[in-house]
Amino acid sequence: MSENKRTEVDQLGEFGLIERITKDVEINHKSTVKGIGDDAAVIDCGDDYMVVSTDMLLEGIHFDLSFMPLQHLGYKAIAVNVSDIAAMNALPEQVTVSIAITNRFSVEAIDMIYQGIKAACKNYNVDLVGGDTTSSRSGLVISVSVTGRVAKDKIVYRSGAKKGDILCLSGDIGGAYMGLQVLLREKKVYESNPEMQPKLDDYEYIVGRQLRPEARTDVIHDLREIGIVPTSMIDVSDGVASEIMHICKASGVGAAIYEQKLPVDQRTFDACHEFKIPSVTPGLNGGEDYELLFTIDQEDFKKVEKNPNIYFIGYIDEAESGARMVTVGDQIVPISAQGFKHF
Ligand SMILES: Nc1ncnc2c1ncn2[C@@H]1O[C@H](COP(=O)(O)OP(=O)(O)OP(=O)(O)O)[C@@H](O)[C@H]1O
Ligand SMILES: Cc1ncc(C[n+]2csc(CCOP(=O)(O)O)c2C)c(N)n1
Ligand SMILES: [Mg+2]
């Protein structure tokens, strides 16, 4: 009977599936300090920890070549990987890049992707040290693995948040999602009438947030300079709601965020207005902002209080309280993770 059982992947969802396939994975090496479950794995390499992560970008799922310039695609593939390294409070060192290409691509097109990859490697000071090249029957795939390094006493996990900590964000959220909405709308307009040229000039900021995100390694440098080690950290790939829930689950805590304190740029806000989307939605559920969401001890607050680049959005409390948002109208609503649904 059970041999015939068929469970659809969407019954488990992305995180349920990861949990299922990884639950009986054994760790056999002393050097494996942290395996599955964080933004990167942590490996003891002597004096420091090495962190390792991998992320792939697939045509049709993560990008649409009708509006994603190839250089930007190459840049984004590196940036999203470096972002996971930053989320461990580490700085990146090496990447490998694997590509699967269809016969649609010319050598010149692949050159353009690599221009972006190389620009990102230069910007984040990472060495491209290997990869793999293969053909694909259905769309372009770019898969990147990245390593980074951090002093052992500076490693930050999703699991270190504790009651009383302050929840911080490194930048504004929701822009990447609204940029995508604009790009999808302009694509539709173009498809229905190719005479119409896409109007993107007024949306430069949000479209840039979608097409050319940056990993916040600058924040990691700043935190080191100020002398702060966050108690927990994660990068915002899936939306703040989903990431807060990861921190709460991994740390065994609850959290409250204030709607009013969520940093939404005016240009994102304007696009929300135009699309008739509540401005809180893209930030909480949109994703791809690649900002860092982290918690700091209250003791450290005075060191960052006046830092204009860090937004204080809420606090951590006990697990029983769950993750919730205090709305502008002072209502308390539970946070549910409606991040990007792969399945
Ligand atoms: N197929 C898999 N096999 C083994 N481990 C996996 C697999 N997929 C994901 N993981 C691990 O599960 C954890 C959560 O993965 P997830 O992709 O959600 O994190 P992330 O890389 O921070 O997110 P994103 O992909 O949005 O950047 C990570 O530790 C990741 O290495
Ligand atoms: C064409 C197109 N369609 C949809 C999206 C949105 N999108 C894709 S993956 C993802 C979350 C992170 O995924 P992962 O967890 O795999 O890193 C989001 C928000 C996009 N950028 N382009
Ligand atoms: Mg991550």
Side-chain angles (χ1 to χ4, degrees):
M1 266 294 271
S2 64
E3 276 164 38
N4 294 329
K5 187 171 176 222
R6 181 190 156 91
T7 312
E8 299 304 326
V9 175
D10 63 4
Q11 270 177 257
L12 294 184
E14 178 188 352
F15 301 126
L17 179 66
I18 296 174
E19 251 177 64
R20 179 183 167 114
I21 60 183
T22 61
K23 69 171 183 295
D24 49 7
V25 169
E26 287 174 12
I27 298 296
N28 290 316
H29 291 275
K30 267 210 326 242
S31 52
T32 310
V33 177
K34 170 81 192 172
I36 293 155
D38 218 297
D39 292 277
V42 180
I43 293 160
D44 192 336
C45 61
D47 289 344
D48 295 325
Y49 282 147
M50 182 165 89
V51 288
V52 186
S53 183
T54 189
D55 247 324
M56 43 182 178
L57 297 187
L58 277 83
E59 184 177 350
I61 304 290
H62 298 90
F63 59 88
D64 181 331
L65 285 175
S66 62
F67 53 70
M68 172 57 109
L70 293 171
Q71 286 109 314
H72 287 6
L73 176 61
Y75 194 97
K76 184 168 177 175
I78 300 300
V80 303
N81 273 275
V82 168
S83 178
D84 277 322
I85 297 303
M88 305 303 288
N89 202 28
L91 289 169
E93 294 195 343
Q94 289 89 16
V95 284
T96 61
V97 176
S98 301
I99 50 168
I101 41 189
T102 63
N103 55 12
R104 243 174 345 131
F105 285 86
S106 64
V107 173
E108 289 74 19
I110 298 160
D111 278 346
M112 303 248 267
I113 299 175
Y114 270 78
Q115 271 176 28
I117 289 175
K118 287 171 192 167
C121 286
K122 192 164 178 224
N123 190 27
Y124 297 116
N125 190 23
V126 291
D127 297 335
L128 172 57
V129 296
D132 193 20
T133 305
T134 175
S135 57
S136 160
R137 293 207 177 171
S138 58
L140 174 66
V141 179
I142 307 181
S143 176
V144 176
S145 296
V146 59
T147 69
R149 185 186 292 269
V150 55
K152 288 184 176 172
D153 61 346
K154 305 263 179 332
I155 186 83
V156 177
Y157 297 104
R158 294 176 180 181
S159 57
K162 55 182 190 336
K163 188 176 170 187
D165 286 354
I166 298 164
L167 256 173
C168 311
L169 259 176
S170 61
D172 65 281
I173 49 171
Y177 178 85
M178 290 317 296
L180 180 62
Q181 301 317 304
V182 169
L183 288 162
L184 291 170
R185 179 183 68 186
E186 294 305 309
K187 181 185 174 183
K188 253 196 202 152
V189 171
Y190 179 79
E191 278 173 347
S192 62
N193 181 1
E195 304 275 285
M196 302 269 281
Q197 284 307 305
K199 281 205 221 73
L200 294 174
D201 290 358
D202 294 344
Y203 304 99
E204 210 179 314
Y205 177 70
I206 55 176
V207 165
R209 294 287 281 172
Q210 167 62 220
L211 298 181
R212 204 181 186 283
E214 293 286 5
R216 300 304 308 271
T217 47
D218 59 318
V219 175
I220 303 309
H221 285 291
D222 288 353
L223 289 171
R224 286 184 188 184
E225 229 163 74
I226 313 165
I228 287 188
V229 178
T231 52
S232 72
M233 187 147 58
I234 189 167
D235 69 326
V236 181
S237 58
D238 223 18
V240 164
S242 173
E243 317 305 358
I244 282 185
M245 292 182 72
H246 283 311
I247 285 189
C248 285
K249 192 170 174 203
S251 301
V253 296
I257 58 169
Y258 296 97
E259 181 180 4
Q260 203 160 22
K261 299 227 177 232
L262 289 176
V264 176
D265 188 273
Q266 185 62 43
R267 291 160 288 192
T268 305
F269 188 85
D270 291 346
C272 288
H273 185 72
E274 191 182 333
F275 280 77
K276 300 189 170 53
I277 296 175
S279 63
V280 67
T281 309
L284 282 185
N285 301 319
E288 294 187 289
D289 297 304
Y290 297 101
E291 294 299 338
L292 295 169
L293 174 71
F294 56 99
T295 53
I296 58 169
D297 194 290
Q298 276 184 37
E299 282 281 296
D300 282 331
F301 183 60
K302 54 187 175 304
K303 296 185 195 162
V304 283
E305 197 176 5
K306 298 210 168 69
N307 189 325
N309 303 317
I310 298 180
Y311 301 89
F312 308 102
I313 64 164
Y315 61 90
I316 298 292
D317 57 9
E318 46 281 295
E320 295 69 45
S321 316
R324 59 214 188 277
M325 182 172 73
V326 182
T327 68
V328 176
D330 258 352
Q331 276 181 312
I332 294 173
V333 293
I335 291 176
S336 61
Q338 294 161 0
F340 187 78
K341 268 189 79 152
H342 277 294
F343 308 107

